[in-house]
């Protein structure tokens, strides 16, 4: 209910009441009706942003697909290009960004992709990529507000 402050009778002044925003100097004036402040969604749960991994995968830029095992019990990743021939500077940060995903196919693709890239690469390729990612101040390797537990990252089975 808007609060009214008027020096005259409320019956004689409804035609001249002005509506003013709350918490302003105008709210202290006479013959005004104060609007209630707008609700701010501070405690609302916001969905996590779509990771770059999901965008690249949906666009078809990541050369992987899912291959079902015998009787569809175990799923594998089929690489269209062998992991040894991929550009680690480009793909390893994308797969690390995909670790923040929570939906089924993208999370599994990212987990298996990171493990395959780390296994297939030489010692210097992943290390150089991670060091370059740490040197670049505006572009961290993991760019998501949603936290991932170290268990999800370290479990590659």
């Amino acid at each position: 209910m808007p609060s009214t402050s008027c020096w005259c009778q409320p019956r004689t002044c409804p035609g001249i009441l002005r509506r003013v925003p709350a918490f302003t100097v105008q709210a202290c004036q006479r013959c005004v009706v104060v609007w209630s402040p707008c609700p701010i969604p501070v405690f609302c749960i916001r969905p996590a942003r779509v990771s770059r991994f999901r965008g690249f995968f949906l666009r078809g830029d990541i050369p992987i697909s899912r291959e079902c095992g015998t009787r569809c019990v175990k799923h594998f990743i089929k690489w269209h290009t062998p992991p040894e021939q991929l550009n680690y500077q480009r793909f390893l940060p994308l797969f690390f960004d995909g670790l923040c995903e929570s939906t089924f196919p993208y999370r599994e693709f990212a987990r298996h992709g990171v493990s395959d890239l780390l296994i297939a690469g030489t010692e210097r390729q992943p290390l150089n990529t991670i060091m370059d990612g740490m040197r670049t101040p505006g572009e961290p390797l993991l760019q998501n507000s949603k936290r991932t537990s170290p268990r999800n990252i370290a479990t590659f089975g």
Side-chain angles (χ1 to χ4, degrees), residues 45-51 54 100-102 144-147:
I45 297 174
R46 297 182 191 105
R49 69 166 185 84
V50 176
S51 68
R54 184 188 291 195
C100 298
E101 285 287 339
S102 60
N144 205 330
S145 60
K146 189 172 183 181
R147 303 273 181 191

Side-chain angles (χ1 to χ4, degrees), residues 9-18 31:
Q9 299 290 334
R11 281 182 260 144
T12 59
C13 131
I16 60 172
L17 286 178
R18 292 181 298 125
C31 295

Side-chain angles (χ1 to χ4, degrees), residues 29-123:
Q29 297 174 351
R30 294 182 179 183
C31 295
V32 295
V33 176
V34 179
W35 290 341
S36 60
C38 298
I40 300 173
V42 176
F43 299 107
C44 293
I45 297 174
R46 297 182 191 105
R49 69 166 185 84
V50 176
S51 68
R52 291 187 307 154
F53 175 78
R54 184 188 291 195
F56 276 71
F57 179 76
L58 291 175
R59 199 168 50 193
D61 289 343
I62 299 178
I64 58 173
S65 63
R66 188 171 73 183
E67 185 174 299
C68 296
T70 58
R71 297 186 182 177
C72 294
V73 175
K74 186 158 175 101
H75 301 288
F76 300 100
I77 287 184
K78 179 183 176 188
W79 289 91
H80 302 294
T81 305
E84 299 87 19
Q85 296 177 1
L86 292 177
N87 183 3
Y88 273 73
Q89 303 289 334
R90 179 178 181 206
F91 286 106
L92 193 61
L94 281 176
F95 279 104
F96 269 109
D97 190 37
L99 291 175
C100 298
E101 285 287 339
S102 60
T103 55
F104 165 65
Y106 308 110
R107 181 176 171 209
E108 297 303 316
F109 282 143
R111 286 178 59 215
H112 290 293
V114 166
S115 67
D116 290 348
L117 284 174
L118 291 177
I119 290 170
T122 62
E123 293 180 6

